[in-house]
Structure formats: C-alpha cells, structure tokens
Amino acid sequence: MKEKIQIIWLKKNLRIKDNAILANINCENPSLAVYFFEPHIMNLPDYWDFHLKFTLESLLELKPKLQALWIPLLILPYNAIEWFQYLNTIYEIDDIYSHEETGNWETFMRDKKVLSWAKSSDIPVTEYHTNWVVRRLWDRDSWWAIWQDRMNMDIYEPQEKYLWANLQESDTKLSEETVKKYKNQISYL
C-alpha cells in the first residue's frame, strides 16, 4: 500500500505568510512541496535571467521555513505533468494544492494538462487565488464584487499547528555568476 501524501505545487507565491495553502491544508496528512523549473517555460522569450535569480533566491529563503513546518521542498528541473505522474507511482496523492496561475499561455496550458491528468487519475486539485486576477468568469459582470471581496480579506496565517516553527530570514542574495551556474545546471538536467 502506497503512503498517502498531499502535494503543495509552488508556482509564484513563494511565501509562508499570507499563503492560502498553508492556512487551509490538512495538517494531519504528510505534505511535500514541489517547484518545477520547467525547461519548455524557461526557454520562452519572456523568461529572463532576473526571473531565475528572483525565484532561486525566494526558494532558498523558503526551503528552511518549510522544513521548520515539517514540509520538505523538492526543486526539480522537470516538466510538472511528468513529475506528478512519477510521484503518483510512488505515493497515493491525496490532493494537489496550488495557486491559480497568472502567467503566460504556456503556463496556462500546462495547468490545464495537469488538471486534466489529475481528474483522470481521481486526484483532487485545490487552487487558491493569490491576487486581483479573477479566473473562470463567464462574464465580467461579477468581477468587481469578487475583486472587492478579495481585497478585503484578512491576511492568511499558517495554521496553529505550524505556529511554533522558528521562521528566520536567511541571506539568500545570489550573484549573477551563481544565477548563470544554476541556469546551466537546470538546462542540462
């Protein structure tokens, strides 16, 4: 029998505080956080080195904070769909938690593929919004009311189970040389 886990799929919201996933996740089940440096997305013309630098710095800062919450973080140079399929052979994925994507067409299509695969595999996907973008509207009539509700929400805090954690800031500023090194390693893995 495979171990049950829940996946926290990190995309752009790389924070502990004001993170709807950590505020709402089932604390009783083991969690695994994953971030994908997807080659097909990194090679797009709208993906720049400063994106990579910012993301790497954010992940380096986030990793020990998640470890303090007993949530391991995998940083992978693979396409999301392939790795989810692989994880599903090892674990029984109870749920995939993520934030709604607000990127480009490629990330939108990637999310649709993952949602389709998860549905066909009977794996629930729970998505939370992270900003003022309202997805899946049939028309724009209700946009303003939804936006107002979102802007008036309280800041999310990690659940009480996690509050004991010692969350310390770490110095994670990377040089341009280090960013190029990581970019080369990621593109060859």
Side-chain angles (χ1 to χ4, degrees), residues 1-8 21-22 24-33 66 69-72 91-97 123-124 126 159 161-162:
M1 184 174 195
K2 295 190 283 189
E3 180 184 358
K4 240 185 204 189
I5 63 165
Q6 52 196 0
I7 305 289
I8 300 170
I21 294 171
L22 295 176
N24 294 295
I25 199 166
N26 180 351
C27 294
E28 303 306 314
N29 292 343
S31 299
L32 174 65
L66 285 172
L69 300 175
W70 298 98
I71 301 173
Y91 299 103
E92 180 183 339
I93 301 175
D94 194 41
D95 203 332
I96 297 173
Y97 294 90
I123 299 171
T126 305
Q159 295 181 47
K161 175 183 175 184
Y162 295 138

Side-chain angles (χ1 to χ4, degrees), residues 128-157:
Y128 295 95
H129 65 271
T130 58
N131 54 36
W132 58 90
V133 176
V134 180
R135 297 217 6 234
R136 298 178 186 93
L137 287 177
W138 290 103
D139 57 48
R140 294 177 184 240
D141 294 344
S142 58
W143 178 84
W144 180 251
I146 295 169
W147 186 86
Q148 287 289 346
D149 287 345
R150 288 183 180 182
M151 293 302 109
N152 291 321
M153 292 176 73
D154 291 334
I155 292 176
Y156 292 111
E157 296 287 348

Side-chain angles (χ1 to χ4, degrees), residues 10 31 37 43 45 50 54 61 64 67 76 85 123 157 185:
L10 299 170
S31 299
F37 282 106
N43 290 325
F50 69 83
F54 177 79
E61 185 176 325
Q67 287 172 334
L76 303 165
Q85 291 168 339
I123 299 171
E157 296 287 348
Q185 288 177 354

